[in-house]
Amino acid sequence: MSARRLAEIQPDNFSPNRETTAFAKASVKKYPEGKQASAVIPLLWRVQEQNAGWVSEPAIRWTAEFLDMPYIRVYEIATFYTMFNLQPVGKFHVQLCGTTPCMLRGSEELKTVCRKVIGNQMDVTSDGKLSWIEVECLGACVNAPMVQINKDYYEDLTPEILEQILADLRSGKEVKPGPQNSRHRSEPLGGALTLLSDTSSSRAKAKPQAKAKAPAKAKPVAKAKPATKAKAPAAATKPAKAKAPAATAATAAKTKKPRGVKAPKVPDDLKMISGVGPKLEGTLNGLGIYKFAQVAKWTKAEIDWVDDYLSFKGRIERDDWIKQAGALAKGGVDEYVRVFGKKPR
Amino acid sequence: MSDMRTVKIDGEEIEVPAHYTILQACEEAGAEVPRFCYHERLSIAGNCRMCLVEVKGGPPKPQASCALGVGDLRPGPEGQPPEIFTKTPMVKKAREGVMEFLLINHPLDCPICDQGGECDLQDQAVAYGIDKNRFAENKRAVEDKYIGPLVKTIMTRCIHCTRCVRFSTEVGGVEDLGLAGRGEDAEITTYLENAMTSELQGNVIDLCPVGALTSRPYAFQARPWELRKTESIDVMDALGSAIRVDARDREVMRIMPRLNEEVNEEWISDKTRFIWDGLRTQRLDQPYVRRNGKLEAASWDEAFAAIAAKIKATTPDRIGAIAGDLCAAEELYALKDLMTALGVKNVDCRQDGTPFGEKGNRAGYLFNPGIAGINDADAILIVGSNPRLEAPVLNARIRQHWRNNGIPIAVIGDQADLTYQYDHLGAGPETLADLAAGKSKFHAVLKSAERPLTLVGQGAVARSDGLSVLGNAAMLAEQVGATGSEEWNGFAVLHTAAARVAGLDLCVLPGADGGFDTRKMLSAAGKGELDVVYLLGADELRMKALGEAFVIYQGSHGDAGAHRADVILPGAAYTEKSGTYVNTEGRTQMTTRAVFPPGDAREDWTILRALSDALGHTLDYNSADQLRAKIYEAAPQLAAIDQREVASTEDLGELVKEAGRMNSSAFTSVVKDFYLTNPIARASAVMAECSALRRGRKLDAAE
């Protein structure tokens, strides 16, 4: 990257439109009196959006005057952050990731395409539609090689696809962002290999299924490699102990998810149970547990399941949720006081 | 502050305040720590990494000592003091690594670099540099920036210490400089390469640890080891900043600041620093006598004869003498002595027409709290002054105090950018009267302050009702308790002329029984009531007002006075004589001769002594020592060189009685053009360029 300079040809002035002014005023209000300079980055960003994707010299001056900052301070910031374009850009500004993972996956060829279709970096095509620049890692290495065009990522590119995308953008056709090779987000090509049973539900359902696989893989997994971790979370949780997978598997066989109900109109305040806070209450509600009576009726297998689900290591039994919930279900606070000799929390 | 910590530095225990950084503690212990970005008067940046030291018990890596506080160090397991090492192999290796990185992009152009010989990087490379370059790639090159006519940039040499940026932001108070870009491409620049606007910008040259920012007028003039360095005192303003005059042969090559915590810390204004080219041009190097309307070169004898003929033909009451702003105490005393011997009562050292010295004695014309006393003030009122132009270094001190402690400041007079926030109470005397009558909110602020400071500028008093204004200001100071106690006298007069306080101390004032002051002399000369006027370096007068009078001008530069003169006696400039000056706070200081005056020019007091001979009233001293003995007799405080003689607060009482009616015209600073306030500055091409630039900018702003 060479030194970033202001464009040689500058507009005469910058006048903020109504949205920019409103945004600027709102941004300044977020900060305490006298600290309005804190809003400089959002303002420059907004100014850049209004100004066809680049920050002009009059725009820097306007920002500085709006925030009561010396020009040089805003200039420092605008030149420091590469996200602020100091030169005019095309309607579609391509930021091409050239960092190692993308380079290994073929970003050099993509650059050739850009050079062919657009020209040198920061050149704007004669129709004003396209421009490109090489940038550092955009954090989408798993879908390398990739480019960012305006606000969207285009991933898993080949030179042909990129050329097509550029041509489509130019001609005004709609282009689908994201992976360009039938991958779904960053899943493996050809579909997911793990968590297949019901991917839509929470971790709760996936877990036993994963655990079922665990014993078979217990030996090779013993020194949990990251690659296998994803496939066998249960095994990975206790990789150090060789016994663990077997033990977990044994528990897995005996546990049972308690039955949930739909949210009733008047749910009990589960926080009354000593050991349950607002966070846990939410989690329990998520499992369909709303009533003291439900908790009171949990079987050993169900307790074990919940205990495992919450990684409690036996806290439900230690705190005796069942007895507490029983008392609360039976006679509310009075019964609780009678049984435990103190008020519930 | 009493929180002290014991630390062990290179095995030696030392006790330092907890707020010290390790670097300061190391300095206290005498361990030398190299640094580029750290500067004791600027904020800490910690970006050069040269000051790395090893801290025992800390993380197993070198620590930047400038950014780590002593208070943050952990003691040993049994409570032993934390240990710091500055000479271990780890430290040496780390610093060598930093140095290697710094030198990667630094050009090897020391032979053509103006910083050569006084370059921090050069010096430290000798200690920590390696003799080979392991960097095979191309070096970075950076375009030079225009940042003004005073500071030259060679930006490839920049090591990004950001001292200059911090200086202009924090001390200068004008946010001109910035670090644009990032990483290797970072560049120091002003916005769109506009010239810097601070009056203190020259100091970035001293701050720059490499040759990236150098003096433009001094470029390629001399090498530091060729220069004869003379410690002296500046006379561009009334602060008497400590300077070092660097000369080669018979020419002053540059002027640098010296450290004086009590006066200028380590800064000097641009006028002080870049005035030296004015010392070479427009010099009066031989006497001149006007014959048939034209000034012609003459010998000393001819000039003296012309003067003697005129003076002997004139009665003393038709003779006047006015002393200028750059005169030393020696010639002021000699002038007064000569005039007394001639019987002349029309003598004045106040060419700007201020009323100082008439009432209220010494406290009435001194910056009583002292320049360093600004740091103790808890509220400041500025009346009729623009300290930024009248004394930029003093203004920097006010700014520093305002920045650190947020003291309330108010101004009556010009509404100028002073680099700090202030309440503008009003423009003229009515505001001062209102304030004195307690009608302003700021009265309460001053009243509640323990040590209020009332700064009175020349703009408030250099007017016909000056004495009354001065009286009102003194009354206000007394009212709010600025002058009540023994340890605090907050009545502060900011002079603009280096010569003034010494002149007042020596009573170079109109004689008691009907002597004319400057204003009366001018009007008398205009009316033809004054036949001879002796101008001792006085150029800031309306020369036309002198009418038909016979004018003798003694001074160093061919300025307004010399153009009007009938006889010119060439004197010495402040770098060419050993002269006593008293600054605005009453500190006696002495300049030292760095070079000899050009041609036939002489030290000023010797000219007056020789003239007295020609006039038949020989002054009875033959050497500077004899003259000074007389001066010390007349004003003992002048004997205490580098000491500040504080004036008694009681002296102010008499001044308060003068508080009376004031005109309605607004106060306005006497310094209109910072760069052109005296004959030397007006002879300087550099100052002329700065002045033109400033005027151009003002025009732009007005459009």
Side-chain angles (χ1 to χ4, degrees):
Chain A
M1 194 184 72
S2 57
R4 288 156 46 79
R5 294 279 161 75
L6 295 179
E8 282 189 13
I9 301 165
Q10 292 282 355
D12 290 338
N13 52 31
F14 171 82
S15 51
N17 59 26
R18 201 181 300 158
E19 290 89 71
T20 304
T21 317
F23 177 87
K25 281 183 183 154
S27 297
V28 166
K29 275 202 198 115
K30 291 180 191 166
Y31 303 100
E33 192 79 25
K35 304 281 179 192
Q36 72 277 34
S38 304
V40 63
I41 289 178
L43 246 71
L44 279 172
W45 185 245
R46 174 64 211 148
V47 159
Q48 168 161 306
E49 281 183 349
Q50 185 199 318
N51 196 39
W54 69 291
V55 177
S56 64
E57 191 271 324
I60 289 179
R61 271 189 284 131
W62 176 82
T63 310
E65 277 155 18
F66 189 88
L67 298 175
D68 198 18
M69 292 167 78
Y71 295 155
I72 185 74
R73 292 281 102 84
V74 182
Y75 179 72
E76 281 177 327
I77 289 159
T79 53
F80 183 87
Y81 290 102
T82 50
M83 67 189 187
F84 298 123
N85 297 314
L86 302 178
Q87 311 276 336
V89 293
K91 188 179 175 201
F92 302 101
H93 182 52
V94 180
Q95 300 184 58
L96 189 149
C97 173
T99 307
T100 320
C102 279
M103 195 187 83
L104 292 171
R105 298 280 294 149
S107 65
E108 295 295 317
E109 286 81 46
L110 301 186
K111 283 190 215 165
T112 318
V113 170
C114 286
R115 272 190 218 105
K116 192 179 86 188
V117 177
I118 306 172
N120 286 327
Q121 291 195 36
M122 290 315 279
D123 282 358
V124 182
T125 50
S126 52
D127 56 5
K129 289 276 170 67
L130 296 173
S131 61
W132 78 283
I133 190 172
E134 180 183 343
V135 296
E136 300 303 323
C137 187
L138 288 170
C141 312
V142 70
N143 294 73
M146 58 80 65
V147 299
Q148 180 183 350
I149 302 178
N150 292 352
K151 287 179 174 171
D152 291 319
Y153 278 16
Y154 296 81
E155 300 154 315
D156 295 311
L157 296 169
T158 63
E160 297 76 32
I161 295 173
L162 180 61
E163 202 166 342
Q164 187 59 47
I165 289 174
L166 295 178
D168 288 351
L169 287 170
R170 209 170 205 172
S171 57
K173 275 190 216 155
E174 200 167 313
V175 180
K176 183 177 76 72
Q180 302 294 317
N181 63 347
S182 78
R183 271 170 84 175
H184 179 247
R185 298 190 178 164
S186 52
E187 273 179 1
L189 190 58
L193 299 175
T194 55
L195 316 179
L196 293 172
S197 58
D198 182 359
T199 48
S200 63
S201 111
S202 67
R203 196 172 139 207
K205 280 188 181 160
K207 208 156 192 175
Q209 184 258 344
K211 274 173 190 159
K213 276 192 181 174
K217 291 203 172 180
K219 264 188 185 170
V221 169
K223 278 192 180 164
K225 286 182 192 168
T228 48
K229 204 171 186 175
K231 288 183 183 169
T237 46
K238 292 173 185 170
K241 291 182 187 170
K243 267 198 253 167
T248 327
T251 347
K254 274 193 263 166
T255 59
K256 177 174 161 255
K257 183 176 180 236
R259 258 208 16 235
V261 295
K262 270 196 191 164
K265 274 215 178 99
V266 192
D268 288 341
D269 183 7
L270 295 180
K271 291 193 289 297
M272 302 269 270
I273 301 172
S274 164
V276 179
K279 178 88 204 321
L280 261 182
E281 186 183 34
T283 314
L284 289 171
N285 289 164
L287 290 172
I289 313 288
Y290 289 97
K291 290 283 191 188
F292 294 130
Q294 282 176 288
V295 179
K297 277 186 217 142
W298 278 353
T299 62
K300 176 80 174 91
E302 283 168 336
I303 291 170
D304 285 350
W305 188 91
V306 176
D307 196 69
D308 188 50
Y309 178 71
L310 300 171
S311 314
F312 262 9
K313 304 194 179 83
R315 209 172 98 189
I316 296 177
E317 278 169 323
R318 276 201 306 282
D319 287 352
D320 209 350
W321 285 14
I322 310 302
K323 196 173 169 190
Q324 288 189 61
L328 287 164
K330 193 174 161 198
V333 176
D334 296 342
E335 178 70 7
Y336 189 95
V337 173
R338 200 183 61 75
V339 174
F340 293 98
K342 60 173 184 180
K343 280 197 170 173
R345 229 176 3 130
Chain B
M1 287 297 162
S2 61
D3 189 10
M4 299 294 275
R5 298 290 163 89
T6 308
V7 287
K8 228 172 167 182
I9 292 165
D10 293 335
E12 245 179 84
E13 276 196 19
I14 179 168
E15 206 171 307
V16 293
H19 68 273
Y20 265 35
T21 62
I22 294 182
L23 196 148
Q24 286 170 310
C26 287
E27 283 196 331
E28 199 89 329
E32 200 177 309
V33 182
R35 86 288 304 262
F36 293 113
C37 71
Y38 175 81
H39 193 276
E40 55 261 53
R41 287 176 217 282
L42 303 176
S43 63
I44 292 167
N47 51 12
C48 76
R49 316 310 288 179
M50 197 59 203
C51 62
L52 295 170
V53 294
E54 185 177 347
V55 177
K56 192 177 180 182
K61 59 171 188 175
Q63 299 278 317
S65 60
C66 72
L68 187 60
V70 167
D72 295 335
L73 292 176
R74 278 191 311 187
E78 276 118 46
Q80 306 100 319
E83 275 201 73
I84 295 153
F85 305 96
T86 66
K87 298 186 177 77
T88 52
M90 186 227 243
V91 172
K92 188 165 189 301
K93 193 178 170 205
R95 290 179 188 168
E96 281 173 355
V98 170
M99 180 56 77
E100 200 176 350
F101 275 122
L102 286 174
L103 292 179
I104 277 182
N105 275 323
H106 192 82
L108 290 172
D109 63 354
C110 303
I112 57 152
C113 176
D114 261 327
Q115 194 84 354
E118 49 186 4
C119 173
D120 289 359
L121 187 64
Q122 208 175 29
D123 295 348
Q124 291 175 31
V126 172
Y128 298 102
I130 54 170
D131 56 353
K132 287 184 195 62
N133 191 356
R134 294 192 286 173
F135 187 72
E137 327 295 321
N138 287 333
K139 286 196 175 209
R140 173 206 63 171
V142 184
E143 289 157 25
D144 293 343
K145 310 285 184 295
Y146 173 81
I147 59 173
L150 300 177
V151 183
K152 182 186 169 192
T153 63
I154 299 98
M155 279 311 184
T156 304
R157 296 179 188 147
C158 177
I159 58 168
H160 302 156
C161 70
T162 69
R163 272 186 188 181
C164 52
V165 178
R166 283 176 282 145
F167 174 82
S168 63
T169 308
E170 293 161 16
V171 181
V174 189
E175 295 191 47
D176 285 329
L177 284 172
L179 183 80
R182 55 154 67 189
E184 191 193 39
D185 297 315
E187 298 175 322
I188 299 291
T189 183
T190 54
Y191 188 68
L192 304 183
E193 301 198 21
N194 283 325
M196 293 193 281
T197 53
S198 170
E199 288 78 18
L200 295 165
Q201 56 183 275
N203 292 300
V204 300
I205 298 166
D206 295 341
L207 287 171
C208 185
V210 296
L213 305 178
T214 54
S215 168
R216 196 185 284 276
Y218 173 70
F220 310 129
Q221 296 281 310
R223 283 299 194 186
W225 55 85
E226 308 173 314
L227 299 171
R228 205 169 53 246
K229 297 161 181 82
T230 315
E231 300 199 337
S232 191
I233 298 300
D234 172 55
V235 299
M236 292 301 120
D237 52 37
L239 289 193
S241 302
I243 55 169
R244 195 188 80 199
V245 180
D246 286 7
R248 188 177 58 189
D249 301 334
R250 292 186 64 122
E251 284 192 324
V252 173
M253 302 304 288
R254 63 171 177 178
I255 292 168
M256 308 275 278
R258 272 190 302 133
L259 189 72
N260 187 346
E261 291 292 349
E262 300 294 311
V263 179
N264 59 323
E265 297 176 290
E266 61 186 77
W267 319 124
I268 52 174
S269 73
D270 291 345
K271 191 160 49 175
T272 305
R273 183 185 301 266
F274 296 105
I275 196 70
W276 50 265
D277 73 323
L279 292 168
R280 301 175 184 174
T281 46
Q282 294 279 18
R283 287 309 299 267
L284 301 171
D285 56 356
Q286 56 182 337
Y288 286 85
V289 176
R290 194 177 289 276
R291 294 184 185 118
N292 306 323
K294 278 185 81 175
L295 281 169
E296 284 173 19
S299 71
W300 279 106
D301 288 338
E302 286 165 4
F304 285 160
I307 296 170
K310 186 76 191 169
I311 285 187
K312 278 177 184 158
T314 314
T315 53
D317 59 326
R318 296 179 74 84
I319 301 177
I322 302 174
D325 290 348
L326 306 181
C327 304
E330 283 78 3
E331 54 253 32
L332 284 166
Y333 185 79
L335 177 72
K336 183 171 186 238
D337 235 10
L338 177 60
M339 290 301 149
T340 312
L342 291 172
V344 175
K345 288 182 219 138
N346 311 325
V347 185
D348 203 347
C349 69
R350 307 158 303 181
Q351 59 165 338
D352 46 7
T354 50
F356 296 115
E358 286 167 21
K359 290 276 153 55
N361 299 343
R362 212 162 178 251
Y365 59 81
L366 285 191
F367 200 93
N368 290 305
I371 294 166
I374 289 172
N375 294 348
D376 300 325
D378 46 10
I380 298 181
L381 172 70
I382 298 171
V383 183
S385 173
N386 179 346
R388 181 173 168 188
L389 301 184
E390 291 171 20
V393 176
L394 180 133
N395 197 52
R397 208 186 265 268
I398 299 179
R399 175 178 157 78
Q400 175 201 31
H401 186 40
W402 168 81
R403 219 173 150 259
N404 294 342
N405 303 307
I407 51 156
I409 302 175
V411 169
I412 301 177
D414 292 342
Q415 196 164 7
D417 175 11
L418 297 180
T419 72
Y420 38 81
Q421 280 172 17
Y422 59 82
D423 289 335
H424 187 244
L425 301 179
E430 2 27 280
T431 317
L432 180 62
D434 281 357
L435 192 59
K439 282 191 216 155
S440 168
K441 250 191 233 161
F442 202 74
H443 189 269
V445 176
L446 286 172
K447 186 108 196 169
S448 63
E450 263 177 56
R451 289 178 301 277
L453 193 153
T454 310
L455 190 155
V456 182
Q458 304 301 294
V461 290
R463 42 197 274 161
S464 55
D465 60 344
L467 191 59
S468 177
V469 175
L470 196 62
N472 273 296
M475 187 174 76
L476 174 66
E478 198 182 60
Q479 259 181 35
V480 299
T483 58
S485 69
E486 270 306 299
E487 59 266 31
W488 180 257
N489 183 348
F491 183 72
V493 175
L494 178 60
H495 287 277
T496 52
R500 194 72 78 247
V501 176
L504 294 168
D505 276 359
L506 291 169
C507 264
V508 185
L509 296 168
D513 38 353
F516 289 172
D517 62 9
T518 301
R519 195 172 284 120
K520 283 186 192 147
M521 271 190 257
L522 287 181
S523 69
K527 281 183 257 171
E529 291 164 14
L530 218 56
D531 293 336
V532 179
V533 178
Y534 197 109
L535 299 180
L536 180 64
D539 287 280
E540 285 77 25
L541 297 168
R542 282 177 299 112
M543 292 300 165
K544 280 208 177 123
L546 290 173
E548 297 295 305
F550 181 84
V551 175
I552 305 156
Y553 179 81
Q554 177 185 341
S556 59
H557 282 70
D559 201 58
H563 285 292
R564 171 64 186 81
D566 296 292
V567 177
I568 294 175
L569 305 174
Y574 69 108
T575 50
E576 294 150 7
K577 62 189 172 196
S578 163
T580 308
Y581 289 89
V582 183
N583 77 356
T584 190
E585 58 170 346
R587 182 181 304 276
T588 309
Q589 300 184 108
M590 212 160 190
T591 59
T592 318
R593 183 172 63 213
V595 292
F596 285 97
D600 279 345
R602 292 289 178 269
E603 280 197 41
D604 291 275
W605 77 266
T606 61
I607 297 173
L608 286 156
R609 165 71 178 70
L611 178 63
S612 70
D613 224 5
L615 294 175
H617 292 276
T618 311
L619 301 175
D620 58 345
Y621 24 82
N622 294 315
S623 69
D625 283 345
Q626 287 173 6
L627 166 61
R628 290 203 181 109
K630 291 256 180 190
I631 291 176
Y632 301 159
E633 225 172 86
Q637 66 267 29
L638 265 66
I641 301 291
D642 292 337
Q643 302 293 311
R644 187 165 93 81
E645 179 74 24
V646 182
S648 153
T649 34
E650 287 160 27
D651 294 351
L652 277 176
E654 219 181 314
L655 200 58
V656 174
K657 287 182 207 142
E658 296 297 325
R661 286 185 56 81
M662 298 180 278
N663 299 341
S664 60
S665 58
F667 299 142
T668 170
S669 172
V670 289
V671 176
K672 293 280 175 276
D673 190 334
F674 167 70
Y675 297 102
L676 302 176
T677 52
N678 60 49
I680 309 178
R682 287 191 285 269
S684 158
V686 176
M687 290 297 115
E689 191 182 349
C690 290
S691 167
L693 193 72
R694 167 92 29 128
R695 268 183 282 129
R697 187 177 288 121
K698 264 198 194 134
L699 284 180
D700 283 350
E703 272 169 18

